[in-house]
Amino acid sequence: KKSLAMAKMEELKRFVASNSGSSNLMLDRMGITTEALEELIPFIAQRLQNLNSLALKNNRLTKLPQNLSLLTSLSSLTLTSNPLTNIVDCCGVLGEVQSLRSLSVTIDEEEAV
């Protein structure tokens, strides 16, 4: 029997695959956690090699996965309305994404470390 997390990951992978060849990917309001995004990034990198824009608004990301730099064409990233807790860690990860030119992010002051 599949776990809910496994079923959700399969659903996300199907969605990414359906956008194959696209330069934009909107994963807003999909309940994506940091762990799920970390698992999904290699799949995105393989399927969407020319991905320029990634929108992850209103998810459950508490930090950014280290493997974000696998998205080598990424120039625009939207992270607004996620419970990101450590802006310093986020900056370290974002610094590895050398193609990044545009970033939209909000940090909840109550949760910031």
Side-chain angles (χ1 to χ4, degrees):
K1 185 178 177 184
K2 289 183 194 171
S3 72
L4 184 60
M6 283 177 61
K8 181 70 173 174
M9 182 56 61
E10 287 180 10
E11 176 187 332
L12 287 168
K13 286 182 175 181
R14 276 195 303 275
F15 183 77
V16 169
S18 74
N19 283 273
S20 202
S22 176
S23 62
N24 301 309
L25 184 60
M26 292 185 64
L27 297 175
D28 300 338
R29 294 181 176 86
M30 293 195 170
I32 299 171
T33 62
T34 299
E35 296 76 17
L37 183 59
E38 188 168 30
E39 184 178 336
L40 192 59
I41 284 175
F43 187 82
I44 294 172
Q46 182 182 27
R47 293 291 194 293
L48 304 175
Q49 295 173 358
N50 297 316
L51 183 66
N52 296 321
S53 177
L54 177 59
L56 290 160
K57 294 183 279 188
N58 294 90
N59 279 292
R60 299 186 345 218
L61 302 173
T62 56
K63 63 181 184 174
L64 296 178
Q66 295 292 327
N67 64 355
L68 192 64
S69 62
L70 291 175
L71 304 177
T72 56
S73 298
L74 190 66
S75 61
S76 176
L77 180 61
T78 304
L79 298 167
T80 52
S81 300
N82 277 285
L84 295 168
T85 55
N86 191 321
I87 193 67
V88 175
D89 287 348
C90 289
C91 289
V93 171
L94 292 169
E96 298 297 314
V97 185
Q98 297 183 359
S99 56
L100 194 63
R101 299 290 173 263
S102 173
L103 174 66
S104 182
V105 64
T106 51
I107 301 291
D108 185 339
E109 291 180 23
E110 293 176 16
E111 294 183 21
V113 176

